[in-house]
Amino acid sequence: MKKHTGQDRSVTTTWRPTTQAVRGGTARSDYGETSEAIFLTSGYAYDCAADAAARFAGDQVGMTYSRLQNPTVEMLEQRIALLEGAESARCMASGMAAMTAVLLCQLQTGDHLVAGKAAFGSCRWLTDTLLPKFGIATTIVDGTDTAAWEAAIRPETKVFFFETPANPTLDIVDMRGVCDIARAHGITSVVDNAFASPALQRPIEFGADVVAHSATKMMDGQGRVLAGAVAGSEDFILNTLLPFTRNTGPVLSAFNAWVVLKGIETLDLRIRRQSENALAVARFLEQRVPRLLYPGLASHPQHALAMRQMSAGGTIIALFLDGGRAQAHGLLDALRLVDISNNIGDSRSLMTHPASTTHSGLAEDVRADMGITEGMLRLSVGLEDPDDVIEDFDRALAAVGL
Ligand SMILES: *Cc1c(COP(=O)(O)O)cnc(C)c1O
């Protein structure tokens, strides 16, 4: 049926990722609209009571309630699954709703999790504070040390959880190495792919079992809505994730799903251009600041690994100043074009001081262990002309003596 080709997997799985980003998952209504429709409905009506009963029993295909299914959200879920090369995906209200669900749905008291130390602040709160409250033990390892993952395994280890590149220090985890160790021990590997997005990196191709997302970042890409997603095997999504999310309800709204559907249509274009811009800005900044980390530069200690896993260096740069918080804040305050903002993946260039914002909730020793110093800044490069961003930095760096 032409009307539904976007949902016919026998057709869509042969499409290349950039085609899937534009068309994957599209399900047209009888009106034949070209742009995906927004189904703002909480419930669905049935032709007869027997139909309602059949649908609840799972004997009849169809939707019952928007906490469980929604046509607009389902289009986005199929699109993300196709982009990640996963059998299935489900969307959540935010990246953190996705991270919380993907961990709690598969862990219980007595279980053990191993997580990479460099992580989004709230992800570290989940592993260090929330899970232990439920008797789930966590071991934090240096994610870049593949042998450390294996050494941390206990008989009760159920999950490996990491991001790569990691927020904000841009540590790169060897996905093939770490995911193979997980698989050999019957452990589920969960990769947070928010920084790279499927346009640059598809963790399932490197052996990951489950990919979790903040779709707020690159996928929306224009700083509008919060959204999250979990992608994996049909079995994991249906039998492990869904029982948790259907009953706890961290679901994405149809409107926000639609915004992200529109965002993904330009994901490939944006992330490629933003990665080019980031490389140009990083090359300039490298000459002016004491230390800088960008996966696309040979000076990144894991540049070769990053380039094996990612098709470009990404949009985020970490810079380290010697003058501590005063100089870092001074640089932020001197910028005119680049906004002081803790979001990333926007079409606007944004910079933040992680120690006093995104990672301020962590203890100082935890921050130090992660490599977040008082002089560190995280820059998310946008779609502006990179020469304007470079000129803004040229002037602002001079203002703080660099
Ligand atoms: C932003 C982010 C999250 C959290 O996503 P929200 O959409 O803000 O809830 C999780 N992981 C990483 C790596 C992030 O950058």
Side-chain angles (χ1 to χ4, degrees):
M1 271 226 300
K2 179 87 178 144
K3 213 163 58 181
H4 297 296
T5 47
Q7 283 189 313
D8 181 346
R9 292 190 74 96
S10 69
V11 175
T12 51
T13 48
T14 67
W15 289 342
R16 290 158 187 83
T18 32
T19 307
Q20 284 161 358
V22 179
R23 289 180 172 270
T26 300
R28 288 182 178 146
S29 78
D30 289 341
Y31 291 109
E33 67 281 353
T34 46
S35 173
E36 294 79 3
I38 308 176
F39 288 91
L40 280 177
T41 181
S42 25
Y44 305 87
Y46 313 90
D47 287 340
C48 62
D51 277 2
R55 233 179 264 179
F56 269 79
D59 297 334
Q60 185 185 84
V61 180
M63 304 201 169
T64 56
Y65 190 55
S66 278
R67 175 153 38 77
L68 281 61
Q69 319 94 354
N70 176 277
T72 312
V73 177
E74 217 172 81
M75 288 190 252
L76 177 61
E77 292 170 341
Q78 300 219 12
R79 188 166 293 177
I80 291 174
L82 286 162
L83 281 175
E84 285 292 358
E87 287 174 7
S88 190
R90 286 297 180 278
C91 286
M92 308 292 146
S94 68
M96 285 321 300
M99 303 306 156
T100 306
V102 77
L103 296 180
L104 285 183
C105 77
Q106 55 177 326
L107 290 165
Q108 62 185 39
T109 305
D111 286 347
H112 173 243
L113 162 128
V114 185
K117 73 176 176 186
F120 187 67
S122 293
C123 291
R124 282 296 300 261
W125 185 85
L126 287 184
T127 57
D128 299 9
T129 305
L130 183 74
L131 295 182
K133 279 214 289 201
F134 297 102
I136 300 158
T138 299
T139 301
I140 300 293
V141 296
D142 174 356
T144 65
D145 178 359
T146 303
W149 290 89
E150 183 139 42
I153 294 173
R154 302 181 193 168
E156 62 275 19
T157 306
K158 294 281 163 27
V159 176
F160 278 4
F161 179 49
F162 61 89
E163 37 189 276
T164 182
N167 188 352
T169 50
L170 302 168
D171 285 2
I172 308 291
V173 177
D174 177 354
M175 288 192 283
R176 173 56 66 195
V178 173
C179 295
D180 280 357
I181 292 168
R183 189 147 302 175
H185 290 84
I187 293 165
T188 305
S189 53
V190 179
V191 178
D192 178 343
N193 198 24
F195 259 42
S197 94
L200 294 187
Q201 158 178 294
R202 309 210 308 166
I204 287 173
E205 288 173 356
F206 294 88
D209 294 311
V210 180
V211 180
H213 264 288
S214 169
T216 313
K217 310 294 169 54
M218 294 314 305
M219 288 189 183
D220 170 22
Q222 286 144 88
R224 299 166 297 192
V225 299
L226 296 192
V230 177
S233 69
E234 188 100 32
D235 176 48
F236 179 84
I237 298 292
L238 293 186
N239 301 318
T240 303
L241 182 76
L242 274 189
F244 181 86
T245 55
R246 290 177 143 207
N247 294 300
T248 54
V251 295
L252 185 63
S253 80
F255 181 79
N256 287 1
W258 181 83
V259 173
V260 179
L261 274 166
K262 295 292 115 187
I264 289 179
E265 289 180 7
T266 55
L267 174 67
D268 191 72
L269 277 176
R270 285 184 286 104
I271 198 156
R272 269 172 220 297
R273 174 62 71 86
Q274 284 173 249
S275 294
E276 276 171 39
N277 292 357
L279 182 61
V281 173
R283 283 200 173 116
F284 167 81
L285 288 174
E286 198 170 35
Q287 312 302 317
R288 291 283 287 274
V289 300
R291 193 159 77 90
L292 174 148
L293 287 171
Y294 178 64
L297 285 179
S299 57
H300 188 291
Q302 297 162 289
H303 174 64
L305 173 63
M307 292 301 100
R308 278 204 300 280
Q309 299 185 159
M310 298 160 72
S311 55
T315 63
I316 317 284
I317 302 168
L319 29 153
F320 300 83
L321 309 185
D322 290 337
R325 182 176 295 209
Q327 196 180 28
H329 278 194
L331 178 61
L332 282 171
D333 291 341
L335 291 163
R336 289 181 194 152
L337 183 152
V338 177
D339 287 307
I340 304 171
S341 174
N342 45 280
N343 194 15
I344 58 165
D346 197 321
S347 49
R348 289 155 191 78
S349 294
L350 310 174
M351 193 155 81
T352 195
H353 179 246
S356 58
T357 60
T358 52
H359 292 73
S360 60
L362 300 174
E364 203 167 333
D365 58 319
V366 175
R367 275 204 300 273
D369 184 46
M370 284 170 76
I372 300 172
T373 63
E374 285 292 313
M376 180 200 188
L377 292 159
R378 186 193 69 195
L379 170 66
S380 172
V381 179
L383 283 171
E384 305 95 341
D385 188 315
D387 288 342
D388 285 324
V389 176
I390 288 169
E391 278 172 27
D392 198 32
F393 272 107
D394 189 23
R395 201 188 29 75
L397 286 163
V400 294
L402 289 166

